[in-house]
């Protein structure tokens, strides 16, 4: 069983749900059914949600593969925390008004670093 990955998958899914609900509530409150209707606030919410949908799956897939490759539990937790914190910081920094660029950048760096470290670890583990 993927005990460690399950924790981070569940927590990241909660972030995804929160981001989804922010879009839904805004759409309902402003009666915007399709697209963004040129509404910058809605567009920011949509992009924060979409960005999570774009990066979280590859991060979680890699995390699961790292865990399955019998990496040390601490390493799996560190990678999972990087992904979780990265996604949370990016979502908050991106969707805040005004945007908090430091949080957005740090979130991106954490997320991409987690993906890179996981990918390199898996390649080296597979080769050696």
């Amino acid at each position: 069983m993927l005990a460690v990955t399950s924790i981070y998958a569940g927590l990241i899914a909660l972030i995804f749900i929160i981001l989804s609900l922010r879009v839904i509530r805004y759409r309902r409150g402003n009666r915007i059914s399709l697209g963004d209707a040129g509404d910058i606030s809605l567009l920011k919410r949509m992009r924060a949600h979409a960005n999570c949908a774009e990066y979280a799956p590859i991060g979680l897939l890699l995390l699961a593969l790292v865990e399955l490759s019998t990496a040390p539990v601490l390493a799996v937790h560190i990678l999972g925390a990087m992904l979780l914190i990265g996604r949370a910081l990016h979502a908050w920094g991106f969707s805040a008004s005004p945007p908090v660029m430091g949080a957005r950048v740090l979130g991106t760096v954490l997320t991409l670093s987690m993906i890179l470290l996981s990918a390199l670890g898996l390649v080296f583990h597979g080769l050696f």
Side-chain angles (χ1 to χ4, degrees), residues 12 16 19 43 45-62 83 87 90 94 104 108 111-112 115:
I12 290 169
F16 186 79
L19 293 171
L43 181 59
R45 290 168 190 251
M46 290 169 59
R47 283 303 312 145
H49 175 254
N51 190 277
C52 185
E54 293 161 1
Y55 286 93
I58 186 70
L60 289 170
L61 174 62
L62 289 168
L83 183 62
R87 292 295 76 215
H90 184 274
F94 187 86
R104 184 176 173 194
T108 300
T111 299
L112 292 178
I115 291 170

Side-chain angles (χ1 to χ4, degrees), residues 30-53:
N30 293 280
R31 299 175 193 235
I32 302 171
S33 176
L34 213 50
D36 61 32
D39 187 308
I40 297 299
S41 186
L42 176 57
L43 181 59
K44 283 173 50 176
R45 290 168 190 251
M46 290 169 59
R47 283 303 312 145
H49 175 254
N51 190 277
C52 185

Side-chain angles (χ1 to χ4, degrees), residues 50-126:
N51 190 277
C52 185
E54 293 161 1
Y55 286 93
I58 186 70
L60 289 170
L61 174 62
L62 289 168
L63 188 65
L65 291 171
V66 167
E67 187 171 4
L68 287 170
S69 75
T70 66
V73 173
L74 180 59
V76 181
H77 274 293
I78 289 169
L79 291 168
M82 289 173 70
L83 183 62
L84 176 66
I85 294 166
R87 292 295 76 215
L89 281 174
H90 184 274
W92 172 66
F94 187 86
S95 58
S97 290
V100 181
M101 288 305 293
R104 184 176 173 194
V105 169
L106 181 57
T108 300
V109 167
L110 282 170
T111 299
L112 292 178
S113 295
M114 178 274 178
I115 291 170
L116 177 64
L117 290 171
S118 298
L120 290 175
L122 288 166
V123 168
F124 286 117
H125 181 73

